[in-house]
Structure formats: structure tokens, C-alpha cells
Amino acid sequence: MDFVTDMMPPDTTGEILAIGWETALLTLQIALLGTAIGGLFAVMLGLLAANNLTPEWVHHPLKVLLAIMRSIPVLILALVLVRAVGLGPFPGVLAIAIHSVGNLGKLFADECETAFEGVWEAMDSAGANWWQKVRFAVWPQVAPQIVSLTLYRLEMNIRESAVLGLVGCGGIGFYITLYQRSFNYTCMCTMVLVMLVIVLAVDQLSVQIRKRLT
Amino acid sequence: MAERNAPVILVEHLRVNYGRRVALCIDQLRFDRGECVGIIGPSGAGKTTLLRAIKGYVRPTRGKIEVLGLNWSMCDRSARRRVQRRIGLIFQQFHLVPRMTVLQNVLCGRLGSTHRLKSLFGRFSAEDKQIAWRAICEVGLQEQVHQRADTLSGGQQQRVAIARVVAQQPEVILADEPVSNLDPVLGAEVLTLLVEVTKHHDATLILNLHQPALAKRFVNRVVGLRDGRIVFDDLPSRLTDDQLQEVYLGYEPTPLYRDDSTAGRSMAMVGA
């Protein structure tokens, strides 16, 4: 149980808490931006990858592309991107965005494929074009699910983003490893606790939002 | 526009095959402006296929379908879309957007005529809104106008669907089993409304109906289909029990009691 006693009590000096707060905020921002960008592209690609909305030659290659995007773990994507675009939060945002597109895009496409076909035909019958059919026959049916899935992805991305500090993307993960390597376990404990509070807060927020959607 | 006494719909030497099964085989069928036609027949007789062929959703294997002066097999895509817009569809399951209000659902009937880009942002012109409002008044749903469609009863939902078609301002209304999901009283109300609306807008109504008794009450012409062929085409008053027998023989009493083995066989043939 040495590792527990080593971490006790967590260092609560103002300076350490300020570092924890600032870096946790950066971690949160990386996750938010990555999820927002990823979600936006996922909506577009997800609609095009739904087999009831587009012809085979559009949705089939897109499904493959999405599968490739989500098959690479965020951490490995970030490792590669840090080499490509340099250290800092930017490769982290990119890595999270890319993985989220692959993941959410597939879920959105699945969602569209279960949308009620009859409404599509009713809109077509009224003379709606493809965009109008997507907007009125598909979107109202899938939008609540899309918001809910994106929020869920955000929760996961915040945890992913915390780990990204390990490979040079900054944020709270960087300080957790820093303190761990310098045997400063009480400070490390503070960072872990700050992270815990943030993750729990966002989880609760997202639960509340998703509750209202249904 | 074609002259007044030209047929609204003209079907000639039509043949629609699903795989090797003949779904429709009609030598000649003609509907004139203002007619209210009921198409009766057992399940699988080709009623729905006929409606979908008239709408241009089912491609004939052979033969000609001319609607509002346009031959489906001899026209380009834009001409086809223009004419299709003048044909309204009513479905058995209503096919409303559940999360949208009555007004929003009815406005969807304007999608073919309104400004396309603005409609994507949910914006419709004052004229569109007026047309939609008049349609809602016609079906008597003024009080529910801002209610969500999925909170309405079945009869009210079908009224919304009718208002949506009215807002489309069609010249032909095709209704595929519009009252099969409703109880008899509501069904009769909805049919009365459909016939009224059709007359009021000088349109042509073609109804697919399971129940011949209902058909006789509301239409001024009955077409009986059996195995894709027309076995009766006359005034409803001339539809005798013997003729009903001919339409439904072997299928009676109702499709609810249909033998599943025959259903399975016909499915297999569709797949072949």
C-alpha cells in the first residue's frame, strides 16, 4: 500500500491547484474542440455513408474510410501527428477529431439507416429534393440521437485527451507524468483528483442534457 | 396543359413483372378529371403496384402509363419530377414526421414549390404558410396546429397527412389503404373528408381499399383487381355479391385469415 501513502495527503497549495486547473482546462478544450470538429464532419460523412440515402458508390467507400479512421487508437494517432505537426495541443485536437469522425460517422450512418423510410417517400412525393428529404425526413428522426451520441463521445474524448499529455500534447496528462517521473506523488495525486472532478462534472452535465432530449 | 376532356391517367397494355411473377396486367384503364375511383381486391392483387406505377415509382415491364399528359417511359427526369409533384400520395401509416408540429408537417407539402434553400432552414414564404393554414382549416385541425404530430390520434394524423397533400395542390390524389389503420367510424370520416377535398380542389382521387362496402359508399366508380387483372370496372351500384365473389374468391373472408403458406409462396416467387 506504499503507493497510496506516498500520495497522501494530496498537495493542495495554491500553485499546484492553479496548475491543475489550468492544464485540466486545456485538456477539456482539446476534447471539446476535437469532438466539435469531429462531430461536424461525422454528420456530413455519416449522412453520405448511410446506404438508404446515397448510391452504393458513395456510401461504400465512405464506410471503409470511416472504418479506417476509427480503427487507429487516439493515442497512436497523436503519436504520429505529434511527429507531423509538432508538439502542443493541435495534434491532440486532430487525433481526437479524426477518431471521432470514424466512430461517430459510423453511428450516425447506422442511425440514418434505421430512420423511417415512409417519411422519405412522403417528402419525395411532395416534390422535395435530396437536401430537403434529408432535412425533413431524416434529420428530425436522427437529430436527438446524434446529439446524444456526440455528448457520449465527448465524455470519452475527455478521458482520451487526459492521456494525450503522455505523448506531448500538453494538458493535465503531461503534468501527471511529469510529477510521476519526479517522484512527486502528492502533486500527482492532486492532478488525478482534479481530472476526476472534471470528468465527473462533464458526465453529469451530459446526462442532464441527454435526459432533456428524450 | 391538356384539354379538359383528355384523360388524367391513361394506362395501356401495361405489364409489371416482379421477377417471374406478373404483378399487373392491364389492357386499358382510363381515369378522367374529377373521378373518385375505388380500387378493391385481395392482398397481393396489385393495388399498391398500380398506384405506385401511376405515381411513377414502379417502372412498367411493358406498356404505357400516361399521367397528366406525360408518358412516364418517354420523358426526362425534370419533366417527370414536375409532373410527379402534381400527384399527391396518402399512405396507410400516414408517414408524418413525428417530432414536428402539425403546421410544420403540412408545410412539407410545399417543399416541391417553395424556395429550396430557405426551406432547409425551416423558412417558408407567407404564401406557403397561408396555403398550409387553409389546408389545416379544411381538415379541421386549427386547434392542434402547433401540437406535435406524434401526440395526435390516428384519425387526426391521417387528417394532417391529407392537409399535407392539399398543401401540395395536386391534380391527382392517390390514397393507398388510407383507412386500414383506423376504426370504421374514423375511417368513414377520413374518407368523407378525402372525397370532399378532392371535389373542392377539382382533383382526381384514386383509393385503394380493402373493404368493398366502404368503397361503394364513397366512390363513383369501382375497379376490381384480382391477380393483377381487372375483373370489374363499373358504377359502385352495379357491384353485386356475385361480382364481389369473383374479385375475392379464394381469398375470402378477409386478408386477416390469409393462409400463410400461400403468402410464403408468393414471397418466394417475388424473390425468384
Side-chain angles (χ1 to χ4, degrees):
Chain A
M1 295 299 280
D2 270 0
F3 78 97
V4 179
T5 45
D6 281 351
M7 288 196 292
M8 287 300 147
D11 192 328
T12 51
T13 50
E15 203 186 339
I16 300 297
L17 279 178
I19 291 176
W21 175 244
E22 254 169 58
T23 53
L25 217 58
L26 180 64
T27 294
L28 196 63
Q29 284 167 331
I30 292 174
L32 269 173
L33 198 60
T35 313
I37 296 172
L40 206 67
F41 280 92
V43 168
M44 294 191 271
L45 294 183
L47 285 174
L48 294 173
N51 61 20
N52 53 344
L53 304 186
T54 56
E56 165 104 35
W57 62 270
V58 177
H59 68 247
H60 192 74
L62 275 176
K63 275 186 199 293
V64 174
L65 178 71
L66 292 173
I68 294 171
M69 288 172 108
R70 69 175 176 276
S71 66
I72 313 168
V74 176
L75 198 65
I76 294 177
L77 260 177
L79 265 175
V80 175
L81 288 167
V82 163
R83 284 281 295 156
V85 301
L87 291 167
F90 182 56
V93 171
L94 266 186
I96 285 178
I98 291 172
H99 189 80
S100 301
V101 171
N103 191 285
L104 288 176
K106 184 216 187 294
L107 294 174
F108 293 174
D110 286 353
E111 207 54 50
C112 293
E113 284 165 10
T114 61
F116 196 33
E117 290 264 353
V119 187
W120 179 271
E121 192 171 288
M123 297 300 156
D124 183 85
S125 164
N129 64 18
W130 187 85
W131 297 101
Q132 289 174 315
K133 278 183 271 186
V134 168
R135 165 69 178 77
F136 290 96
V138 180
W139 185 250
Q141 293 189 66
V142 300
Q145 260 322 93
I146 284 186
V147 175
S148 170
L149 288 167
T150 309
L151 282 172
Y152 182 60
R153 188 69 232 175
L154 176 66
E155 292 170 32
M156 294 207 267
N157 282 347
I158 289 169
R159 293 186 278 269
E160 300 269 17
S161 161
V163 180
L164 287 183
L166 270 64
V167 295
C169 295
I172 200 162
F174 172 73
Y175 281 87
I176 292 177
T177 42
L178 184 79
Y179 290 131
Q180 187 255 331
R181 279 180 197 152
S182 53
F183 310 110
N184 196 346
Y185 295 121
T186 53
C187 290
M188 184 181 95
C189 182
T190 313
M191 297 295 146
V192 171
L193 288 177
V194 170
M195 194 59 226
L196 190 75
V197 169
I198 299 242
V199 168
L200 284 178
V202 172
D203 273 14
Q204 276 311 305
L205 192 72
S206 130
V207 165
Q208 292 304 320
I209 296 175
R210 278 190 279 157
K211 230 187 236 168
R212 297 216 176 153
L213 284 174
T214 47
Chain B
M1 208 146 291
E3 73 264 38
R4 180 100 195 149
N5 50 9
V8 172
I9 296 161
L10 184 64
V11 175
E12 274 177 338
H13 312 298
L14 174 71
R15 183 118 180 195
V16 177
N17 293 356
Y18 287 147
R20 279 162 62 199
R21 191 173 77 102
V22 180
L24 271 183
C25 181
I26 294 174
D27 196 38
Q28 213 209 12
L29 186 61
R30 168 194 168 121
F31 299 117
D32 291 313
R33 183 169 290 272
E35 274 193 296
C36 283
V37 188
I39 298 177
I40 60 167
S43 292
K47 301 192 297 292
T48 300
T49 306
L50 178 59
L51 282 202
R52 295 179 67 82
I54 291 172
K55 175 77 185 181
Y57 284 167
V58 168
R59 200 179 281 271
T61 312
R62 266 210 309 276
K64 179 177 101 167
I65 302 174
E66 209 179 276
V67 183
L68 299 164
L70 191 81
N71 184 341
W72 281 148
S73 41
M74 315 255 280
C75 61
D76 60 44
R77 199 172 166 274
S78 69
R80 177 196 192 83
R81 294 294 293 170
R82 269 200 308 281
V83 170
Q84 277 183 330
R85 203 184 301 161
R86 290 154 65 193
I87 307 170
L89 277 187
I90 305 261
F91 307 86
Q92 182 179 352
Q93 298 93 347
F94 324 135
H95 294 339
L96 302 176
V97 186
R99 297 179 59 90
M100 298 204 311
T101 67
V102 169
L103 179 63
Q104 287 169 327
N105 265 291
V106 175
L107 277 169
C108 285
R110 301 299 306 154
L111 287 177
S113 335
T114 191
H115 192 288
R116 304 266 180 192
L117 190 62
K118 280 184 188 162
S119 76
L120 293 181
F121 298 96
R123 298 189 59 82
F124 289 86
S125 69
E127 191 203 348
D128 287 329
K129 284 179 193 155
Q130 219 164 35
I131 292 170
W133 173 249
R134 278 204 301 268
I136 289 168
C137 294
E138 243 179 277
V139 301
L141 286 176
Q142 296 94 317
E143 278 168 31
Q144 286 82 11
V145 66
H146 292 302
Q147 214 167 310
R148 255 172 64 160
D150 50 3
T151 63
L152 300 176
S153 69
Q156 287 174 324
Q157 291 197 20
Q158 193 59 298
R159 279 166 188 273
V160 178
I162 292 173
R164 180 171 66 188
V165 160
V166 169
Q168 191 184 334
Q169 301 176 321
E171 285 157 73
V172 177
I173 299 174
L174 307 175
D176 192 5
E177 307 276 359
V179 296
S180 298
N181 277 359
L182 306 174
D183 69 55
V185 178
L186 274 178
E189 273 176 34
V190 164
L191 284 183
T192 311
L193 181 67
L194 252 182
V195 171
E196 255 172 38
V197 157
T198 306
K199 290 223 171 82
H200 185 226
H201 294 275
D202 195 21
T204 308
L205 176 67
I206 301 174
L207 280 168
N208 273 356
L209 288 172
H210 257 316
Q211 309 99 310
L214 268 181
K216 281 177 86 163
R217 271 174 65 194
F218 290 98
V219 300
N220 45 38
R221 176 177 164 196
V222 172
V223 173
L225 273 185
R226 187 194 160 93
D227 299 329
R229 286 159 210 276
I230 295 175
V231 291
F232 180 88
D233 185 356
D234 210 333
L235 297 173
S237 54
R238 302 227 175 99
L239 185 64
T240 62
D241 285 350
D242 281 351
Q243 274 150 336
L244 263 181
Q245 272 270 309
E246 197 191 335
V247 176
Y248 283 94
L249 189 72
Y251 292 96
E252 279 288 71
T254 67
L256 281 177
Y257 299 93
R258 189 174 39 160
D259 184 2
D260 274 339
S261 62
T262 57
R265 198 158 63 233
S266 68
M267 286 298 284
M269 286 165 89
V270 171

